[in-house]
Amino acid sequence: MKPRTKSWMKPRLLPLAVVWLSTRALMLWLLSRDDRAPLGIGGVGREVHELYARWYGALTHGSFPSGDRLWQYPPGAGPVLLSPGLLPGLTYFQAFVALTLATDALVIVALTRAGTRTGRSLRGAALWTAALPLLLHIPLARYDVQVTALAVISLLTLSRSTRACGAFAALGALVKVWPALALIGTPRGRTTRQAWTSAAVTAGALLLALAALFRDPFDFLRQQSGRGVQIESLGGTALSFARHAGWPGRVRYQYGSMEFTGPYVSAIAALSLALTVAAFGALLLWRLRARRWTPATPYDAALSAVLLFTVTSRVISPQYLVWLLGLAAVCLTSRHTTQRPVAALIVLAAAASALAYPVLYEDVMDCTWTGSLVMLVRNGLLVAAAALSFRRLWAAGIQPTRREPLADSHPLPHETVSTS
């Protein structure tokens, strides 16, 4: 059995390896030319050079960056930002990029292993390999690849260990919150109890450890509450077009990003929060009413949830697309997924996002017609993806057609199909 599996795997895995190596080499080249701004605005790597390195200094002295308005991340981000110290002989920037590439490779390995199981697909590994470079060199200069890896591994381990699934989701949530949504689609009953209990225990233990080792672990809450409306958000796109209609607002750098200031900005921020609450309510309603679970339902629900929370956020930074590409890739590892057209929209949104930042970012900041239209296209694709994703999730779980049974009669090995 094993020799036969290897014989058909090798021709399919070799192109993946070649594409991964060539595209990551191109991403590294772009990052090495960042100061020369080969594609639009430069300084993409400045966040690692200056911001992460500064936080690393504070963390090595046993304290989170207390009072720093740019520190807006849960305490789990601390160990991630300290990790470059594990590679002696390299600068902080070099070590950070090396670890990010290693994590990227880990995601590919996880997706490939999942895709080569019986009844699975390598489309997920192919999507991550080919689509991540659409974001140019941004993924190498942010720690979102590391966060996405935790969410990807959490979802892919669900069919084998619900406790491991919960633990990885908790680790991700303590780094950047959103991986907690990986558990939104776990089948009701014992699976959910075990996964969520494991997540709670893991989160509690890690929080206690970080609170014992570092000072001010919860200072990020004070800084996060002050965020405004970023120019790349959905609300920011509306305000960008409002500038052309005479709205007197301005764009200003604050809280680590370019945000709008002026009349009605606080109302837009409040509306974004209300939409986020509504999205959570819709997801909760789906979970309460869903009657059909397939092996792909946890994957599809995670992607749908993160999409909804992304488009309703006051901040839609380009690195958010890393999350969506990772979750879309997980969905495509399963032949049961309902999210294939959604994944295509996300890939298009990633390409448009690279145009918005860094290629045409000056236009976006100046709210020119070009910048406004680019943001309209990028955010329009994300809104369409979120709406389509939730509609297909809802239809698959709550409105099964007459031709399909409530549960698959032949579930995949090591996977479960449950109905309630």
Side-chain angles (χ1 to χ4, degrees):
M1 187 69 178
K2 288 184 178 180
R4 186 180 63 178
T5 302
K6 290 182 179 180
S7 66
W8 68 261
M9 278 173 55
K10 288 181 180 179
R12 301 177 69 182
L13 297 182
L14 182 59
L16 275 178
V18 171
V19 173
W20 188 88
L21 288 171
S22 58
T23 53
R24 273 47 180 187
L26 177 59
M27 293 166 71
L28 276 172
W29 180 84
L30 287 173
L31 189 60
S32 69
R33 298 294 188 273
D34 187 36
D35 57 336
R36 303 177 188 178
L39 292 173
I41 192 170
V44 172
R46 189 179 301 126
E47 191 153 330
V48 181
H49 278 298
E50 300 176 4
L51 199 58
Y52 292 1
R54 186 177 81 222
W55 291 340
Y56 173 83
L59 289 163
T60 56
H61 288 87
S63 176
F64 285 94
S66 178
D68 190 334
R69 298 180 69 187
L70 302 184
W71 178 256
Q72 302 154 13
Y73 308 106
V80 176
L81 296 175
L82 281 170
S83 61
L86 299 174
L87 300 180
L90 299 177
T91 66
Y92 184 86
F93 182 81
Q94 291 169 340
F96 181 88
V97 174
L99 288 175
T100 303
L101 277 173
T103 308
D104 177 16
L106 176 63
V107 173
I108 282 293
V109 170
L111 291 169
T112 301
R113 285 176 60 87
T116 51
R117 295 177 194 163
T118 304
R120 291 294 199 101
S121 172
L122 285 172
R123 291 191 185 96
L127 183 141
W128 177 262
T129 301
L132 191 67
L134 293 176
L135 295 171
L136 305 178
H137 46 306
I138 294 171
L140 298 182
R142 303 291 186 273
Y143 70 87
D144 294 86
V145 171
Q146 288 88 324
V147 182
T148 301
L150 291 171
V152 167
I153 294 172
S154 170
L155 288 168
L156 293 179
T157 56
L158 176 60
S159 61
R160 294 176 178 269
S161 172
T162 53
R163 291 183 175 87
C165 169
F168 279 111
L171 291 175
L174 287 179
V175 178
K176 258 199 175 178
V177 180
W178 69 265
L181 295 172
L183 302 180
I184 193 72
T186 53
R188 289 195 291 261
R190 186 180 66 175
T191 299
T192 287
R193 288 194 299 272
Q194 289 182 344
W196 292 14
T197 300
S198 175
V201 171
T202 302
L206 184 56
L207 280 174
L208 287 174
L210 291 172
L213 294 171
F214 298 92
R215 297 184 297 276
D216 302 315
F218 302 107
D219 187 71
F220 76 99
L221 294 171
R222 183 175 55 179
Q223 314 306 332
Q224 185 63 245
S225 62
R227 294 299 296 264
V229 177
Q230 190 196 38
I231 60 175
E232 294 166 278
S233 66
L234 195 61
T237 301
L239 292 173
S240 180
F241 278 99
R243 284 281 299 273
H244 296 283
W247 177 65
R250 293 288 181 269
V251 173
R252 187 173 68 184
Y253 180 78
Q254 56 185 19
Y255 290 97
S257 64
M258 305 303 295
E259 297 183 348
F260 280 107
T261 61
Y264 311 114
V265 171
S266 59
I268 293 290
L271 178 60
S272 296
L273 180 60
L275 289 174
T276 299
V277 173
F280 181 78
L283 288 166
L284 182 60
L285 181 62
W286 164 80
R287 182 166 178 85
L288 291 173
R289 295 190 59 186
R291 296 183 290 123
R292 179 178 183 265
W293 256 264
T294 73
T297 299
Y299 308 163
D300 295 353
L303 176 60
S304 186
V306 176
L307 268 169
L308 287 171
F309 279 83
T310 295
V311 298
T312 59
S313 173
R314 296 171 293 172
V315 182
I316 309 181
S317 298
Q319 58 265 30
Y320 286 21
L321 273 296
V322 176
W323 316 345
L324 300 176
L325 289 173
L327 294 177
V330 173
C331 290
L332 293 189
T333 63
S334 175
R335 62 184 176 89
H336 296 265
T337 185
T338 64
Q339 303 293 304
R340 292 189 186 92
V342 177
L345 289 174
I346 291 171
V347 170
L348 292 175
S353 189
L355 280 179
Y357 180 87
V359 178
L360 297 173
Y361 199 55
E362 290 185 350
D363 288 280
V364 175
M365 288 189 294
D366 294 338
C367 298
T368 67
W369 278 110
T370 298
S372 298
L373 289 172
V374 167
M375 291 314 309
L376 179 65
V377 171
R378 198 284 296 267
N379 287 340
L381 286 167
L382 288 178
V383 169
L388 180 62
S389 177
F390 186 70
R391 185 178 72 82
R392 293 176 74 87
L393 177 71
W394 183 278
I398 299 177
Q399 301 172 353
T401 62
R402 292 182 179 179
R403 293 184 179 181
E404 61 182 0
L406 290 180
D408 297 315
S409 56
H410 301 288
L412 301 182
H414 306 294
E415 296 186 330
T416 59
V417 179
S418 65
T419 58
S420 299

